[in-house]
Amino acid sequence: MAKAQKLLLLLVCCQNRSRNLTAECLFHGCRGYAVKSAGTAQEARTPVTTYHIRWADQIFVMEEVQARLLKERFAELLGAKPVICLGIPDVYCCMDPALIDELKTTLRQYVNPPA
């Protein structure tokens, strides 16, 4: 019996220290998904690369500025790959309960985050 394929989610913000790192932790070990996070800033914890763009099935950004930067830097690689803006401002600390609630609520429109 073949294994079910996982949906590959890339979560992008600026620094890769709070919002998308929290989202990555939220999905850690969640059946049906493989998740990576990266940042658009050069000094990000993990800067986004062509590898990330090629790897992902869906890309989520926290703010429109990240969507714009990805489209400028990786236009050829993105093609028809969805880049979805969650509209979550950079006002949270990593693993902030309010951030977790906002991520679950916002992501639920696109995927099934853990309860």
Side-chain angles (χ1 to χ4, degrees):
M1 184 171 169
K3 270 187 163 180
Q5 187 173 353
K6 291 183 177 192
L7 186 62
L8 308 176
L9 308 178
L10 176 63
L11 300 144
V12 177
C13 69
C14 292
Q15 299 293 325
N16 187 220
R17 289 185 183 5
S18 297
R19 295 171 289 176
N20 62 351
L21 190 56
T22 299
E24 183 179 13
C25 290
L26 184 67
F27 278 93
H28 182 74
C30 187
R31 182 179 292 167
Y33 299 101
V35 180
K36 294 184 186 291
S37 65
T40 56
Q42 286 183 334
E43 64 277 3
R45 189 180 64 84
T46 303
V48 66
T49 65
T50 56
Y51 165 79
H52 294 105
I53 303 300
R54 285 187 178 117
W55 174 85
D57 294 321
Q58 289 184 348
I59 300 170
F60 293 95
V61 297
M62 298 298 151
E63 299 173 276
E64 281 297 330
V65 65
Q66 290 103 27
R68 240 182 351 266
L69 287 169
L70 291 180
K71 289 173 184 173
E72 288 171 9
R73 293 182 193 169
F74 305 105
E76 311 84 40
L77 292 175
L78 285 170
K81 194 173 289 197
V83 177
I84 301 159
C85 181
L86 299 176
I88 299 177
D90 192 9
V91 296
Y92 299 101
C93 294
C94 190
M95 299 307 289
D96 182 324
L99 172 57
I100 292 169
D101 289 344
E102 187 165 355
L103 283 165
K104 286 180 178 181
T105 299
T106 308
L107 284 165
R108 196 169 287 122
Q109 300 171 54
Y110 308 100
V111 293
N112 294 315

